[in-house]
Each structure stands twice: as C-alpha cells, then as structure tokens.
Amino acid sequence: MLINEFVASSATEWVELYNTTLQDLNISGFYIDDIAAGGGAPMQIPADTIIPAGGFYVMDLSSYLNNGGGDVRF
C-alpha cells in the first residue's frame, strides 16, 4: 500500500491510497497525518474501509491540510 497522490493546497484537499498487493487490504483504524511533528490531530480512517487488490481509496481531507502544501503520512 502506498500514498499514490495527494492535494494539500486547494479548496478540496484529499489523499489517494493505492493497494499494490494481490489481496484486499483492510485499512480501518489506521491514520492519515499531515506532518511528523505538530500540525493537526491525525485523522482516523473509517471502520470497514477496504481497498481491493490493485484498487484505490480516496479520503477527503478538506480543511485539514491547511491549504499550504506540505506532507501526508499514513
């Protein structure tokens, strides 16, 4: 699984995760964070979130990434 792309400086902020494996991945309970030291509280991925094998998951982070560019961590 990897962060495929994200937008952190737009009216609509989001992150797209890509499942690189041949198995479905349950990512429920994991977190997306904006920076390593500080920033906003990590956002938890909702329950029952499964990325199918070779599939994508997009999480809306509007008003979370501060519209200033930056980093995203899984």
Side-chain angles (χ1 to χ4, degrees), residues 18-63:
Y18 172 55
N19 179 355
T20 61
T21 73
L22 298 176
Q23 301 176 40
D24 293 352
L25 292 178
N26 184 343
I27 60 169
S28 304
F30 283 89
Y31 291 86
I32 298 291
D33 195 6
D34 60 343
I35 57 176
M43 301 227 8
Q44 189 172 28
I45 295 172
D48 301 320
T49 301
I50 297 173
I51 306 176
F56 297 89
Y57 170 72
V58 177
M59 185 171 180
D60 181 5
L61 299 174
S62 296
S63 302

